[in-house]
Structures are given as C-alpha cells and as structure tokens.
Amino acid sequence: AELSVNGSGSVGPVKLSLLAGYTRLNPVQPGYDPTTDTLGLQGVATLKYRSREIGKGDIQADYKRFSAGYSLRYQSKIENIDRRFVQSLLHEYSNPFVNFDNMPSTFVLPGLKENFDAFSKAVLVQDLRVSCWLTNTVRLSFIVNNLANVEYQSRPGDMRPPTQYLGQLLIPLQ
C-alpha cells in the first residue's frame, strides 16, 4: 500500500510546498521452505534487504529571496539478509574441534553478526537546508545532511555518511 501527498500554497507572503509519501509492504517470500532455503537467515520468510515501512517527507518555505527546507526519510528495520553475513565462510568445515562460526576472521564482515540488531534497526534521517538568491541567477545555500548524525547501513558494510555540512554557490554558465 502506498500513500502520497503533494501540495503547495501560501501563508501570507510565505510560499509553502509539501511532498510526503508512505509505503507499507508485506515482503514475504512466496513458497518459502525453511528446509531448502539456504541463502537467507534461517527460519525467516521475509525477502532479503526489504523493509516493511518506508516514509519520506519534505517541506519548503520560500519568502522573497530566502528559502528553508526540511526533509526526512524513515525506513523500518531489515529483517533478513544473506546468511553468509552472519555465518562463517568456512561454516561447512566446522567440526567438534574447530567451530569457524566463533572465529570473526572467517566472516565476510567481521562484527556484523554480533551487531546485527544495530544494523537492522529502524532509521529516521533528517536533512535541513537554507538558501538565499543573491541575484536573479546566483544562489547561496547551506545544507546539513543527516542532521542527527544517525549511524546506519543501507546494506551490510555500506555505512551511510555522518552529518555533512555543505556550502553551495550556484552560478549558471551561459
């Protein structure tokens, strides 16, 4: 199911624009059989790397030569990933004397197994921006991405950037 809202209007001399959306999924693998599925996490019928809920929102206010905007992105936790990220590459060779699943150096991403809950958590990322038109064609902006400095991964091993402060000067080339 998906719901989106898009609108614009004015409050006095301030122009406002809004864009928001929400998606709810049921990412269950059809015909899931835990005895034959050797790729995902054991006993998890959810499709890999899927979130059940995703939401996005953006609002912007414009007044004369100034504008300010705020956006957010929400993603619920990821329930299933490739089993190899939480299981040793040498898992099949484990025996009563050597258990490779207890040796972090034999994993694709050492430490992900122990921190899987931190990886799969729900995430809310916020951004902020302000800008000023210096002339009719030149704009100066200040942007803050990941305002709350949220640590998150979009997939195993892909740490997303921490808070970023950006200055931008837009000068069109003629």
Side-chain angles (χ1 to χ4, degrees), residues 5-168:
V5 175
N6 185 3
S8 61
S10 295
V11 177
V14 179
K15 294 178 185 175
L16 297 173
S17 59
L18 171 73
L19 176 61
Y22 173 78
T23 303
R24 171 79 176 160
L25 303 170
N26 186 21
V28 176
Q29 183 175 339
Y32 173 75
D33 182 356
T35 61
T36 59
D37 183 343
T38 60
L39 301 175
L41 298 177
Q42 191 168 0
V44 180
T46 305
L47 292 169
K48 292 183 287 185
Y49 306 104
R50 303 300 199 291
S51 296
R52 291 187 184 269
E53 298 177 280
I54 300 169
K56 294 181 179 183
D58 188 279
I59 188 165
Q60 181 162 320
D62 298 308
Y63 176 73
K64 295 186 180 180
R65 293 186 170 272
F66 300 95
S67 59
Y70 171 79
S71 66
L72 58 89
R73 298 176 306 281
Y74 170 78
Q75 177 178 321
S76 64
K77 72 178 190 166
I78 293 173
E79 299 172 16
N80 195 5
I81 63 172
D82 285 299
R83 188 178 297 172
R84 283 300 186 193
F85 285 113
V86 295
Q87 187 179 68
S88 168
L89 291 170
L90 303 173
H91 174 78
E92 288 78 17
Y93 303 105
S94 291
N95 59 52
F97 303 106
V98 179
N99 183 351
F100 289 108
D101 286 334
N102 291 332
M103 296 179 163
S105 61
T106 64
F107 283 75
V108 173
L109 290 172
L112 183 67
K113 176 183 177 181
E114 294 78 15
N115 296 303
F116 182 71
D117 290 338
F119 160 73
S120 67
K121 67 183 178 181
V123 173
L124 179 67
V125 179
Q126 305 168 72
D127 303 325
L128 188 64
R129 63 192 179 276
V130 293
S131 62
C132 173
W133 288 95
L134 302 176
T135 69
N136 288 338
T137 57
V138 178
R139 183 178 70 199
L140 179 64
S141 301
F142 179 69
I143 304 161
V144 182
N145 291 327
N146 194 358
L147 186 64
N149 201 27
V150 177
E151 286 186 2
Y152 68 104
Q153 299 178 44
S154 59
R155 60 186 178 275
D158 183 24
M159 286 299 293
R160 303 311 302 154
T163 301
Q164 294 178 326
Y165 301 96
L166 307 166
Q168 182 182 60

